[in-house]
Amino acid sequence: MKNWYNIGMGVGLLVGLGVLVVNSKRKKKSGECEWDERQIAARGECFMIGFWALVLASTFLALYAFFVGKSLFETSETGNIIAVLIGIGAFAVAAIIKDAYFSLKENKRQFFVMGTILSIMMGLGTIRFATEGLLVADGKLCDRSLIAFVFVLWVIIMITQAIHSKREVDEE
């Protein structure tokens, strides 16, 4: 049973990566992905913030396991992916704050619509796994808990972007 779940997770990740690659190539060809010099410099800083957040999260998880003598997660892969999600979240929040998350011609409304749909789907999945007791096993977070972390990450990014967009409208 576990193998089918892992195969499904792998296929889902590959499909998601494929959609991301195709979408970014489409945006580059259409000229939708244009950044000004200020945004390019800010994105560099944001990538650095995301990198250091990843390093700190990985270090914290490793030190916790070393000093406490047990991991917080059922598998090490789960902890690694959560550390990556923390780095992605740090990058995204920093980029939104520095107005470098969206390129000059990108459609923010499309982001909010898709983000809302994804958040609802992941929220429902999180609720289902939580009610069935599949998020935690033997006091450790399972790989199914990743959906909860992605859900929280999406909600944080969307709230940050909504606040930033409201500030932009208020300033105009």
Side-chain angles (χ1 to χ4, degrees), residues 74-135:
E74 187 178 38
T75 64
S76 61
E77 292 85 2
T78 304
N80 292 335
I81 292 172
I82 288 172
V84 169
L85 291 173
I86 291 169
I88 291 169
F91 163 77
V93 169
I96 290 168
I97 291 170
K98 294 178 180 278
D99 195 31
Y101 192 68
F102 288 108
S103 62
L104 297 174
K105 297 179 183 176
E106 225 165 341
N107 184 354
K108 293 180 185 178
R109 180 173 163 70
Q110 185 180 21
F111 166 80
F112 282 112
V113 170
M114 185 57 97
T116 302
I117 292 168
L118 287 172
S119 295
I120 290 169
M121 288 173 37
M122 286 183 281
L124 292 173
T126 299
I127 291 168
R128 178 180 158 240
F129 287 154
T131 56
E132 293 176 6
L134 298 173
L135 296 179

Side-chain angles (χ1 to χ4, degrees), residues 46-62 72-73 77-95 141 146 148-154 156-157:
C46 297
F47 279 118
M48 182 184 67
I49 290 168
F51 169 77
W52 286 111
L54 168 65
V55 169
L56 290 173
S58 296
T59 302
F60 171 78
L61 295 174
L72 293 170
F73 309 101
E77 292 85 2
T78 304
N80 292 335
I81 292 172
I82 288 172
V84 169
L85 291 173
I86 291 169
I88 291 169
F91 163 77
V93 169
L141 291 171
L146 290 173
F149 282 91
V150 174
F151 169 68
V152 169
L153 176 64
W154 264 111
I156 289 171
I157 290 171

